[in-house]
Amino acid sequence: MNLQTIVLAAEGGAIPVVHPVDADGVFSLLWLIIALPLAGAVVLLLGGALAPRALDRVGHWLGTATVAGSFGLSLAMFVSLLGRSEEERQVGQHLYTWFEVGGLDVGMDLLYDPLSALFLLLITGVGALIHVYSIGYMEHDARRRRFFGYLNLFVAAMLVLVLSANYLGVFLGWEGVGLASYLLIGFWQHKHSAAAAAKKAFVINRVGDIGLSLAIALMFTTFGTTDFAAISESAGDASQGTLNALGLLLLLAACGKSAQVPLQAWLLDAMEGPTPVSALIHAATMVTAGVYLVVRSNFIYDLTPTAQTAVVIVATVTLLWGAVLGCAKDDIKKALAGSTMSQIGYMMLAAGLGPAGYPFAIFHLLTHGFFKANMFLGAGSVMHGMNDDVDMRHYGGLSKYMPVTFLTFAMGYLAIIGFPGFSGFWSKDKIIETALAENLVVGLCALLGAGITGFYMTRLMLMTFFTEKRWADDVHPHESPRLMTVPLIVLAALSVLGGVLILNDFIVDFLAPVTGVAEHHEPPLAPLVITLIVTLVVAAGVAAAWFLVGKRDIPREAPQDVSFATRAARADLYGDAINEGLVVQPGRRLVGGLATFDRVGVDGVVEGGSAAVGGMSGVLRRVQNGFVRSYALSLLGGALLVVLALLAVNLA
Amino acid sequence: MNEFIKPTVEYFELWPLLVVFGVACLGVVVEAFAPRSARYVAQVLLALGGLGAALVGVVLIARDSEVYADGAARGVLAMSGTIAVDGPTLFIWGLVLVLAIAGTMLFAERHLDGGVSAFAGQAAALPGTEAEREASTRGLDHTEVYPLLMFAVFGMMLFPAANDLLTMFVGLEVLSLPLYLLTGLARRRRLLSQEAALKYFLLGAFSSGFFLYGVALVYGYAGSMQFAAINEAVRNDTANQSLLLIGIGMLSVGLFFKVGAAPFQAWTPDVYQGAPTPVTAFMAAGTKVAAFGAMLRLFYVAFGADRWSWQPMMWVIAILTMLVGAVLAVTQTDIKRLLAYSSVAHTGFLLTGVLGVQQTSALADGELTALQAVLFYLATYGFATLGAFAVVSLVRDSGGEATALSRWAGLGKESPIVAGVFAFFLLAMAGIPLTSGFVGKLAVFSVALAAGAWPVVIAAVVASVIAAFLYIRVIKAMYFDEPVGEGPTVAYPSVLTATTIALGAAVTLMLGILPGPLLDLAALAGEFIR
């Protein structure tokens, strides 16, 4: 059965079925990958009561070690997976029955396949590096142990998300990362803005979560199960309407978690969290969970062109939206966040293009994970040297003072704009090429996005590391400690070299058992020509930045008499105003109306009803006058009633 | 020429009936010959012993009962077919006997009122006369109540077991007459008590007349008193339909009066209030069990084939009963009257179960039958009611029992245990989960729904909501209202009343958490012998 499917898949067009083999050898330790960081979180968060001193001293190393251990296991499994034949590359492990209610039987099942293998490496690998970086970054924070506990919790939840073999398990992880994200955005809760940002992220994410939970409920009613294996097998039997609904609900979930329009508003505010958090959760891993969800649900999306179109539209809007935001922000982290939004738009775009795009979505997700984590950590390093100032208008000329940060950041910069040979070049180029082959308008939008990327990243680079010094008086920039620069160097290397995954179409073939093999569409132009055009557009963006930013003086205060476009972009393209007008105000009115209804209608019925009953009771009790004669009369009346009722029903 | 056939008496199967009757007669003899000082102990022991022996007999018969003919029922027809000792009969006998044992213990309680029982010292003495005062100072006590109780129990056992109309009427009268008497024997507020007894007797006699008239009509229709023969006639004969219908109506009136269904409920509050509380407790629980047993047999066995003609009438009565009981209870200010109306509402709920009867073939395997549901409900209701009235007898002031609801304010502070137990019984009557009342209501509602009687179920749910209000009103008074003046006092009972209350509470809790065993037992009781 499985073999047959693979063969079919290899011929193109067929949707692969999830059909894992039992875990053995190193794979039987699959559970340990999750258990290690989870244990770390438990010890760090709960153990504090027992041994606060000792944990404060070694807690951060413990937290780092658990993630590093998971990375070691992930690597061993990845190597082991490469040694297997293609049809054995889906490994399942049943841990225990989570719950069993009526017809619903949910197991705590894990699924290790090429898709989750790559995610494991990204999460634990980049995660471990960011843990190391955080040791230095959070050194002076009194609550460092708790910070590492939260980080471990996040990693464990993220691993549950990508390793679960059913949607309910995904949901568990989904909520887990949401919780960890909330806790970490608001880590410095003494800052009002951080607390508000955490709340905003949590609330907007709930909207997406509703999509996922409804999708799961719909799956249960349609297929009677939430297992990937069973659903992928019988997805074709469901009606088109159900599949469309499933696709759109999953898209809603993905929009929430991955900050896609219209649920994008939380991501920029989320930068209130400590910078390592921004790098790990809000750049490299959690925000890409939406892309994972779409790619993982390929057996649904491949059957519903409507939902795929919706994904592509959402992704295209987001990739331009994020890029425009990135052009106008002066806060270095917010500029990077806008860029993250835009890059996830690219991934979603690829994921919406079906089997042809899935591998490139994942490919870009990985390379983005490297270079964006790199740049966020670099930004953290800059802030570290600039007394935690985030305004780029107060930077300038830092390349000489922070050489390691500068060089590693430059690697990330070259990767994200798609400088030929760097990782981002390969991944973004592939997405634009596929988009052009599928739909010209979408492809052109993606091309335009690449140009804007070139502009805003160059602007960021120039304002931070070149141009005149615009520092505050008491700032003395310095290079960060080793603990912070070593992860930067490793990530920079990955940013440069990430492109090797595409050599010989490795990633496409590797993911084929999960995503299926695409029918080949001929792009409108030769691939080499497209590559050339993309490079030229990017160059144009870079040049524009050079002339508009690099050649002019940058005022320390942001000028106020700017064009409408700049004002709009600074205000997040009025995303918050749109939410306020379309959702919050009507919601407030609705709730007000409901409260009035509750007070007048519901309470009225209840209180009026009880008053009516009381009144009736008062009248009726007068019949109970204590005279036997009237009792006897009522008895007689009752006898008549009974007999009449009998006769009326039967003889009428 | 009719041949006379010597009736055979199935002594083993009739043992419980005979023992109760024998003990009752023996009690009369004891009353005549034993010295006054020895009578109390002798009568109580005799009654408890007789009831215990009868209960053992019921268990033994149930263990040995065999399938009747080749039908679904188990048991035998005794006394030439006049008494059916089948599964439901045994279940009801067991229930009545346990309730009677608890009732006897309440009768025997002498701690609450300064060493005398709740019954009049000398019933013949006029209230307020010298004779009464003398009887009171001499500490006289009517021990005749125990033989009366035993006769009533005998009636309660004969009534549901009767397999022909005449035996059923005899059962009805044997059960009623001792209760009329017992109602009038209160030691305190004797005028109220005597008035209640007279009302009960007059109305009871009136309704018995209806019943007897129904017997005559149905005999005219079927040519037989036997339920099996009536059933046969109903199946085959379509002529004289109106004779049958009027007959059914008249018989129903007699039964509805006994169970206190609206509009035949008028006597209930007056009698429940006037009767000595131990009698109320026993009567409220036992009469209802027995009368519903008889009603089930009459309607299922004799008129089961014609259930389409009587079910709509019962719908009307059930809805009326529930709503009248619940609504009228709302404005009551006396705790005993309140419980009386609540018992009317419960009659409605029980009728909801009775009308939920379906063809056996229409039931899925293991589905709850109407009989099973009603039997279960009777058990839950019986114990909760008995327990609640027993608690009522504990709350007293200088004038005896303090039954005005206003006097119960602040009871939660005075005696947390008594208030807590009473609140628990009230919650069970309201049908709150984790009490027996919830499972019972669920059972009768679901059989009624399965039989398509959803309008009745809707009315039942509405009535439950209204009833919940009044139960919770009492709980609020006990826990949240400030006591008026001195506040209530709680008398410490002897082990007899305490045991009864504990038994009621334990059964109510058990049936709420683990209803399975009793439901299984009710299922095991199976069907009536037809």
Side-chain angles (χ1 to χ4, degrees):
Chain A
M1 155 74 213
N2 188 31
L3 202 61
Q4 196 188 356
T5 323
I6 297 290
V7 173
L8 274 178
E11 286 165 5
I15 303 159
V17 170
V18 179
H19 190 87
V21 296
D22 281 342
D24 53 2
V26 66
F27 297 112
S28 54
L29 291 177
L30 206 47
W31 61 274
L32 197 59
I33 295 185
I34 299 175
L36 277 175
L38 188 63
V42 170
V43 169
L44 288 174
L45 293 176
L46 302 182
L50 298 174
R53 287 273 178 72
L55 275 179
D56 277 343
R57 213 163 42 243
V58 299
H60 43 280
W61 289 111
L62 174 71
T64 310
T66 58
V67 180
S70 288
F71 175 67
L73 280 170
S74 306
L75 200 61
M77 281 183 206
F78 182 67
V79 172
S80 174
L81 193 73
L82 288 179
R84 288 198 166 196
S85 62
E86 215 170 55
E87 55 269 29
E88 285 186 337
R89 281 189 180 174
Q90 295 183 337
V91 184
Q93 186 177 32
H94 175 74
L95 296 183
Y96 55 88
T97 301
W98 186 6
F99 57 79
E100 206 174 344
V101 212
L104 183 61
D105 181 4
V106 181
M108 192 48 91
D109 298 332
L110 304 182
L111 171 69
Y112 184 78
D113 63 0
L115 180 59
S116 30
L118 292 175
F119 263 94
L120 286 195
L121 290 177
L122 176 73
I123 297 164
T124 57
V126 174
L129 288 172
I130 292 177
H131 273 72
V132 172
Y133 177 93
S134 305
I135 297 174
Y137 190 84
M138 300 295 284
E139 195 173 359
H140 305 295
D141 195 296
R143 299 190 304 159
R144 182 164 66 168
R145 170 167 54 81
R146 181 195 296 242
F147 181 79
F148 274 84
Y150 288 163
L151 274 190
N152 268 206
L153 178 68
F154 166 76
V155 171
M158 191 70 202
L159 291 170
V160 170
L161 200 166
V162 297
L163 273 177
S164 174
N166 56 52
Y167 278 99
L168 220 56
V170 170
F171 192 63
L172 179 69
W174 194 269
E175 294 298 306
V177 293
L179 170 68
S181 158
Y182 168 79
L183 292 171
L184 285 166
I185 294 172
F187 187 72
W188 287 321
Q189 68 233 55
H190 53 84
K191 287 202 302 194
H192 176 72
S193 55
K199 205 153 58 182
K200 183 173 180 184
F202 197 79
V203 170
I204 295 185
N205 265 289
R206 294 307 307 167
V207 179
D209 297 348
I210 290 170
L212 186 52
S213 48
L214 285 180
I216 291 171
L218 186 57
M219 281 172 201
F220 173 59
T221 52
T222 312
F223 306 111
T225 175
T226 64
D227 285 350
F228 296 147
I231 294 179
S232 64
E233 206 164 315
S234 52
D237 305 335
S239 72
Q240 193 59 45
T242 309
L243 288 168
N244 288 346
L246 275 180
L248 292 175
L249 286 171
L250 290 173
L251 173 62
L252 178 63
C255 282
K257 202 56 91 189
S258 293
Q260 301 291 291
V261 176
L263 300 179
Q264 84 293 350
W266 63 273
L267 185 61
L268 263 64
D269 291 24
M271 296 302 130
E272 288 291 340
T275 306
V277 172
S278 308
L280 178 60
I281 302 185
H282 304 119
T285 54
M286 186 190 84
V287 286
T288 59
V291 181
Y292 170 80
L293 189 69
V294 174
V295 175
R296 175 56 86 194
S297 310
N298 65 326
F299 39 80
I300 289 170
Y301 279 102
D302 287 353
L303 295 171
T304 162
T306 316
Q308 273 185 323
T309 310
V311 173
V312 169
I313 292 171
V314 163
T316 313
V317 171
T318 310
L319 89 92
L320 292 174
W321 187 299
V324 171
L325 295 193
C327 294
K329 290 291 174 186
D330 292 330
D331 178 331
I332 186 168
K333 284 179 73 182
K334 289 202 170 172
L336 284 174
S339 139
T340 303
M341 198 195 285
S342 168
Q343 299 303 313
I344 298 170
Y346 275 106
M347 299 170 208
M348 283 299 243
L349 171 60
L353 293 174
Y358 293 140
F360 304 126
I362 299 303
F363 182 34
H364 193 56
L365 192 157
L366 294 173
T367 57
H368 173 258
F370 300 145
F371 61 66
K372 187 53 67 64
N374 174 16
M375 283 191 287
F376 260 113
L377 296 187
S381 178
V382 170
M383 287 156 57
H384 200 69
M386 301 295 288
N387 288 3
D388 288 329
D389 192 347
V390 290
D391 193 341
M392 292 191 288
R393 291 186 184 275
H394 303 171
Y395 294 170
L398 289 175
S399 56
K400 284 192 209 93
Y401 298 88
M402 309 174 90
V404 179
T405 306
F406 165 62
L407 280 174
T408 52
F409 201 100
M411 299 300 126
Y413 161 72
L414 292 174
I416 192 175
I417 64 169
F419 193 81
F422 285 70
S423 61
F425 167 76
W426 304 106
S427 54
K428 197 185 293 180
D429 183 55
K430 277 293 179 190
I431 292 177
I432 296 174
E433 183 186 316
T434 316
L436 278 172
E438 298 288 332
N439 183 313
L440 195 61
V441 179
V442 172
L444 287 176
C445 287
L447 188 61
L448 177 64
I452 306 178
T453 308
F455 173 80
Y456 68 70
M457 285 312 299
T458 311
R459 171 175 174 270
L460 189 153
M461 200 67 192
L462 290 172
M463 287 173 81
T464 307
F465 292 106
F466 300 100
T467 60
E468 290 299 308
K469 297 176 191 171
R470 299 178 302 276
W471 311 341
D473 297 335
D474 56 343
V475 167
H476 308 286
H478 54 85
E479 189 52 272
S480 298
R482 270 284 195 46
L483 272 173
M484 288 166 68
T485 52
V486 170
L488 282 176
I489 294 168
V490 177
L491 283 170
L494 287 170
S495 309
V496 179
L497 300 173
V500 296
L501 286 171
I502 197 72
L503 280 184
N504 207 8
D505 270 355
F506 164 78
I507 194 164
V508 178
D509 294 339
F510 183 66
L511 285 173
V514 180
T515 61
V517 177
E519 297 169 55
H520 190 66
H521 285 223
E522 204 55 48
L525 297 164
L528 199 65
V529 180
I530 295 177
T531 308
L532 209 59
I533 294 174
V534 173
T535 314
L536 284 176
V537 171
V538 170
V542 172
W546 174 254
F547 287 111
L548 291 175
V549 180
K551 286 287 182 191
R552 298 184 184 178
D553 284 340
I554 302 164
R556 258 190 70 102
E557 295 303 322
Q560 294 306 313
D561 54 336
V562 287
S563 67
F564 168 74
T566 315
R567 271 207 304 277
R570 279 183 188 164
D572 298 350
L573 290 180
Y574 303 115
D576 287 337
I578 294 169
N579 284 347
E580 178 79 17
L582 284 185
V583 182
V584 179
Q585 285 302 341
R588 208 168 270 160
R589 273 197 291 277
L590 178 70
V591 171
L594 283 177
T596 311
F597 175 72
D598 181 63
R599 201 171 52 244
V600 178
V602 177
D603 287 3
V605 168
V606 171
E607 283 161 14
S610 65
V613 169
M616 202 157 63
S617 185
V619 173
L620 274 178
R621 67 183 297 193
R622 287 196 204 135
V623 179
Q624 190 78 19
N625 53 12
F627 292 120
V628 180
R629 55 172 186 267
S630 45
Y631 291 3
L633 189 66
S634 78
L635 216 161
L636 190 65
L640 278 176
L641 174 76
V642 167
V643 172
L644 283 180
L646 277 168
L647 293 180
V649 173
N650 292 287
L651 303 181
Chain B
M1 279 291 284
N2 281 340
E3 253 181 89
F4 180 77
I5 304 168
K6 185 175 79 77
T8 52
V9 180
E10 287 78 356
Y11 287 105
F12 174 66
E13 278 79 12
L14 295 179
W15 161 252
L17 217 47
L18 296 174
V19 128
V20 170
F21 186 65
V23 166
C25 296
L26 203 59
V28 177
V29 176
V30 167
E31 203 61 31
F33 295 106
R36 190 184 289 278
S37 57
R39 283 186 210 159
Y40 169 74
V41 175
Q43 290 285 19
V44 171
L45 287 182
L46 205 54
L48 287 177
L51 292 168
L55 191 59
V56 171
V58 168
V59 174
L60 291 178
I61 300 166
R63 277 179 48 193
D64 284 6
S65 71
E66 284 164 12
V67 174
Y68 177 75
D70 53 353
R74 291 141 58 90
V76 294
L77 288 181
M79 294 297 284
S80 310
T82 54
I83 295 175
V85 186
D86 51 14
T89 300
L90 290 170
F91 186 94
I92 290 170
W93 280 5
L95 193 53
V96 165
L97 287 168
V98 174
L99 293 172
I101 290 171
T104 311
M105 293 203 278
L106 290 181
F107 276 36
E109 175 65 54
R110 288 170 113 177
H111 264 241
L112 295 172
D113 206 0
V116 288
S117 70
F119 298 100
Q122 196 175 7
L126 287 177
T129 57
E130 190 61 38
E132 189 197 30
R133 261 191 295 285
E134 192 195 332
S136 178
T137 40
R138 284 176 57 201
L140 292 186
D141 211 346
H142 263 301
T143 43
E144 286 92 344
V145 293
Y146 302 99
L148 286 172
L149 172 85
M150 293 305 279
F151 280 121
V153 173
F154 173 67
M156 288 174 184
M157 290 170 74
L158 187 60
F159 198 29
N163 199 37
D164 66 39
L165 290 171
L166 219 50
T167 316
M168 185 169 267
F169 180 70
V170 172
L172 173 63
E173 290 305 302
V174 173
L175 130 74
S176 304
L177 289 169
L179 290 178
Y180 301 151
L181 263 180
L182 286 170
T183 303
L185 288 182
R187 174 178 292 275
R188 295 181 184 256
R189 301 195 194 111
R190 291 189 59 204
L191 281 174
L192 199 65
S193 170
Q194 291 176 353
E195 181 192 327
L198 201 62
K199 277 182 190 166
Y200 194 14
F201 170 67
L202 283 174
L203 293 170
F206 192 39
S207 75
S208 291
F210 279 102
F211 188 86
L212 211 48
Y213 189 34
V215 170
L217 288 174
V218 172
Y219 179 76
Y221 169 80
S224 170
M225 297 279 186
Q226 293 277 343
F227 288 169
I230 296 170
N231 180 36
E232 202 60 29
V234 169
R235 264 177 210 284
N236 302 328
D237 192 8
T238 49
N240 267 333
Q241 180 80 5
S242 47
L243 198 61
L244 172 70
L245 291 174
I246 297 173
I248 293 179
M250 295 294 148
L251 288 173
S252 316
V253 170
L255 289 166
F256 285 151
F257 175 83
K258 268 294 141 199
V259 298
F264 314 101
Q265 90 297 351
W267 62 275
T268 337
D270 292 6
V271 172
Y272 277 27
Q273 186 188 18
T277 306
V279 176
T280 311
F282 169 68
M283 177 168 69
T287 314
K288 206 149 280 186
V289 173
F292 266 102
M295 187 188 289
L296 286 168
R297 184 180 299 280
L298 180 70
F299 279 102
Y300 286 12
V301 178
F303 304 129
D306 197 25
R307 66 172 190 282
W308 299 117
S309 60
W310 56 260
Q311 263 172 337
M313 174 273 289
M314 208 172 270
W315 280 32
V316 175
I317 298 295
I319 293 174
L320 202 59
T321 308
M322 289 183 287
L323 292 178
V324 164
V327 168
L328 272 172
V330 167
T331 41
Q332 298 307 315
T333 50
D334 183 281
I335 200 92
K336 281 172 85 176
R337 287 183 84 84
L338 190 146
L339 286 176
Y341 279 112
S342 131
S343 112
V344 171
H346 282 288
T347 297
F349 296 133
L350 280 159
L351 286 174
T352 308
V354 174
L355 58 82
V357 66
Q358 293 185 83
Q359 206 80 45
T360 320
S361 54
L363 291 169
D365 193 34
E367 197 179 329
L368 213 57
T369 65
L371 182 61
Q372 201 182 340
V374 174
L375 289 180
F376 183 84
Y377 199 105
L378 283 171
T380 66
Y381 166 80
F383 285 102
T385 303
L386 195 82
F389 276 111
V391 174
V392 168
S393 70
L394 301 184
V395 182
R396 314 182 75 92
D397 56 20
S398 54
E401 286 167 11
T403 56
L405 194 53
S406 55
R407 302 284 296 145
W408 282 56
L411 191 70
K413 291 193 192 79
E414 165 72 20
S415 174
I417 295 179
V418 168
V421 171
F422 194 67
F424 180 64
F425 285 130
L426 291 177
L427 291 178
M429 290 184 190
I432 305 295
L434 290 188
T435 63
S436 61
F438 172 72
V439 186
K441 275 212 173 86
L442 192 66
V444 293
F445 290 2
S446 54
V447 295
L449 262 190
W454 58 267
V456 184
V457 175
I458 289 176
V461 171
V462 172
S464 304
V465 172
I466 299 174
F469 163 77
L470 66 103
Y471 297 127
I472 290 172
R473 190 171 64 124
V474 177
I475 294 176
K476 173 182 169 283
M478 290 194 299
Y479 282 97
F480 300 103
D481 289 358
E482 285 301 317
V484 184
E486 285 271 306
T489 54
V490 172
Y492 279 92
S494 69
V495 69
L496 294 163
T497 302
T499 310
T500 307
I501 295 173
L503 173 77
V507 171
T508 303
L509 183 65
M510 271 301 295
L511 293 184
I513 297 169
L514 277 179
L518 190 73
L519 277 173
D520 289 347
L521 192 66
L524 204 65
E527 293 289 312
F528 289 115
I529 294 179
R530 286 176 192 281

